[in-house]
Amino acid sequence: MRKILLVCSAGMSTSMLVKKILSAAEKEHYEIQVEARSISEARGIGSLWDVILLGPQVKFQLKEIKNAFPDKPVEAIDMKSYGRMDGEAIVKQVRFLLKD
């Protein structure tokens, strides 16, 4: 099972995306755990996750989070996928980052 941390400014808007990602992963029989957290929480728990994805609203902190977790894939979700709540595109991004 892969663990995906979604990060936004308060952990609220990204939580809506969690259901879409879980649904898309289920269709692919890809076992995941997904949680949405705030950027401040991510700094404390990032090491517990396989991949960290930042929402567009916190993309400006990408370099800082990458530096904090150099052994983890850390990327931003593109604005289009985020805006459309495109769970399938995000699962594809995760699988690419983790080479699954």
Side-chain angles (χ1 to χ4, degrees), residues 18-98:
V18 169
K19 290 179 186 177
K20 299 284 187 175
I21 294 169
L22 287 170
S23 177
E26 187 176 323
K27 288 178 189 175
E28 296 181 23
H29 305 288
Y30 186 58
E31 292 187 32
I32 61 170
Q33 175 185 345
V34 184
E35 286 188 23
R37 298 293 183 96
S38 69
I39 192 77
S40 60
E41 289 177 294
R43 289 182 184 99
I45 63 170
S47 62
L48 304 174
W49 300 87
D50 295 317
V51 63
I52 302 169
L53 297 178
L54 279 67
Q57 66 275 43
V58 292
K59 183 179 178 179
F60 68 95
Q61 296 191 10
L62 182 62
K63 185 176 179 180
E64 178 187 333
I65 299 297
K66 279 187 173 194
N67 288 339
F69 303 102
D71 61 328
K72 306 243 178 249
V74 178
E75 291 295 332
I77 300 169
D78 71 88
M79 183 83 74
K80 185 176 176 182
S81 297
Y82 189 88
R84 291 183 176 178
M85 295 284 158
D86 189 343
E88 291 176 13
I90 296 167
V91 168
K92 185 177 179 179
Q93 180 181 10
V94 167
R95 293 185 90 155
F96 175 80
L97 291 170
L98 294 174

